[in-house]
Amino acid sequence: MNRRLLFLLICGILAPLALRGEDGYRLWLRYEPVANPDLRRQYTEGLGRIVLATPAGTESPVIAAARGELRAGLDGLLGTMPAIRVEARAESDPAVGTEGYRLEIKVQEGASVVTIAAARDAGVLRGTFALLRHLQMHRPISELATVSAPRIAHRILNHWDNLNRFVERGYAGFSLWDWYHLPEVRDRRYRDYARALASIGLNGTVLNNVNANALILTPEYLRKVAALADEFRPYGIRVYLSARFSAPIEIGGLKTADPLDPAVQAWWRAKVAEIYTLIPDFGGFLVKANSEGQPGPHDYQRTHAEGANLFAEALAPHGGLLLWRAFVYAADDKLDRVRQAYRQFTALDGQFRDNVILQIKNGPLDFMPREPFHPLFGAMPRTRLAIELQITQEYLGGATHLAYLAPMWKEVLDAETYAAGPNSTVARVVDGSLRPPGPSAIAGVANTGNERNWTGHPLAAANWYAFGRLAWDHTLSSQQIADEWARLTFSPSPRVSVPITRLLLGSRETVVDYSMPLGLHHIMAEGHHFGPGPWVVARRADWSSNYYHQADEFGIGAARGPTGSNALADYAPELAARWGDPATCPDELLLWFHHLPWSHRMRSGRTLWDELAVRYQQGVESVRALQDGWEALAPVIDEERFTRVKSLLRRQESDARDWRDACLLYFQQYSRRPLPAGVEPPAHDLATYQARKLRYAPGHPGDY
Ligand code: BDP
């Protein structure tokens, strides 16, 4: 039977089954048939021929991957297979940079030709995915022409995956990497993982947890790492590893890991050379040092710069990067935890080698539902700074709650630091616009696991997608990204994509409202971090909730002005002035910076206590609105995903009520004020919430 007939037949059979169950495996790369005949004709005619144009014009594994994707995509969407030719195009195109692409559509000799032009093969692959995205979204072919290049050079997923496949703060099953069976057994999923990354513009992945096991650097494991690198290479994805600072002792037989010791330096040089023999395009190392019990240069009275430079020197001859994490704080340091990294690293500005990038979490604490941006972004003009975002929702309900995070990331990326005058946003610090020339990077802690749909919650894949798209272009809006994702993942029809986009957009603020409103932070349950715990007294003061909420009979909030920890002084004077005055500090950050009386008058006219209660209530009501919004989508969403999301939202509503009731009851002990009208009375007494034990919550390192 001819292909076209077969295609039409299949479309005919499938049309009534359009809402058949979807398990989510295909993510945003579904390539569903274009049913509208006019559009299909438009696409089929427009894509008469496809030219892949690079300066060399030669075949390569990356070009083969692009071809493969075009075949799968066009076969799925249109049931056609236009001729695909690779051509040399010598002239350089500064607009596309090294990884970007240009899509063109022209009529040549009576036939329409689409050209995907790039300076490198990887750019052709990116352009291929852009073309397929355009078609999947049912956009007019006349609007195909475009040019696009990434704003940040290294766009990297960070997996917090252990060698035993446990994923720290992972809520979607176990690690994707089946270390035990590697290198011989290569799961088909590795390829699909690389396709997913490439399709959203990512180009690197750190395979193992920042709380690293030195074994990953042994020859046995490096062969496994090399196998994964081989699988990812055709998709332009480089592999990186988290390196344990004390590896020279643990697997190298040395007595020290002192960064200034020549034997240690030689050991790392040799180790790096060994890695590059196996993996010629190895990306580099990520290091968590002197943080939460991890070894580091301070163990030898050396600085973070001396520690980072040890690795950087070994990597430099091979073109490798060293990503050094700025997430450092110590239990015995009396300085406010949110100031500690600032104090340590600003003192080292200018001391890092050129291939070092300091990787800084978006906020100064730890991936809370809302934080101000990390003050280091405005304070290290001579150091390259990467931003680390957390895609996995450690403090936003794991894979149980819906929280679309693009608005949170945009809030930070667009934040004004005043580092070099106006328009010194965090994004421009990170993308290198305001730095000395050199590499730029962005990292996202992955929310993937071996669950069939990759991310557990069917809507959590939106965060993976959003991270990639923002890493490529941080000027895209949250709305635009949500709309793309909804169209690709569910349906290009606005009947489906518009309401889904709406649900996604407000969801993060909803989580803030029912968990940590008005700038509250770090009041979650201990250990697994799921659910409320404003009463937590941990073995360390800086892991205890009252270190942060500081609630007492007078009021609530962290005093971070001049009479408190003075963390405000770590920001530019413009920000310190604005945030330092409760009258001008936005409500969203109020209790991050201020300890205020319960009677404090808010912008709304309510007292602080009433406002707090109303926000918690609002959070619960917003989850109910999410439920209603989802319910309305029943006729247009496949049964499998619809039911899963529906039940998860039911759970989210009950969790939101717990957050509200537990926190309000706890704080009410101090405020001694009644709940304002409209706030539902708590379901239980405080002791009931405090006595609850959530066992074996996924992703908690203490529980497996
Ligand atoms: C915290 C997590 C912990 C991580 C740490 C980090 O609870 O599991 O190891 O961050 O980023 O948020 O190093």
Side-chain angles (χ1 to χ4, degrees), residues 3 8 170 172 189 193 210 252 332 409 426 444 497 635 640 666 704:
R3 284 183 73 85
L8 292 177
R189 207 163 181 162
Y193 166 85
V210 285
D332 54 5
W409 300 334
V426 170
S497 63
E640 194 168 339
Y666 176 81
Y704 66 104

Side-chain angles (χ1 to χ4, degrees), residues 160 168-169 210-211 288 292 325 327 361 366 394-395 529:
W160 286 359
E168 182 155 342
R169 314 307 177 185
V210 285
N211 297 319
K288 171 176 178 177
E292 302 185 329
R325 291 180 90 229
F327 179 66
K361 289 188 182 183
D366 188 7
E394 177 177 356
Y395 302 100
H529 299 164

Side-chain angles (χ1 to χ4, degrees), residues 275-358:
I275 296 176
Y276 276 93
T277 347
L278 288 164
I279 310 164
D281 56 353
F282 180 65
F285 291 135
L286 171 65
V287 182
K288 171 176 178 177
N290 292 124
S291 165
E292 302 185 329
Q294 294 300 313
H298 289 182
D299 306 351
Y300 307 93
Q301 289 73 53
R302 311 296 184 200
T303 67
H304 279 287
E306 287 166 327
N309 291 342
L310 162 74
F311 297 90
E313 270 156 33
L315 288 158
H318 307 275
L321 278 187
L322 191 271
L323 295 147
W324 189 264
R325 291 180 90 229
F327 179 66
V328 301
Y329 65 102
D332 54 5
D333 194 333
K334 291 288 159 270
L335 188 67
D336 185 352
R337 175 171 159 189
V338 303
R339 303 196 66 185
Q340 293 178 24
Y342 181 91
R343 186 194 48 196
Q344 289 204 29
F345 284 100
T346 46
L348 301 174
D349 192 23
Q351 295 183 25
F352 294 94
R353 281 194 56 121
D354 290 353
N355 58 333
V356 176
I357 306 186
L358 194 62

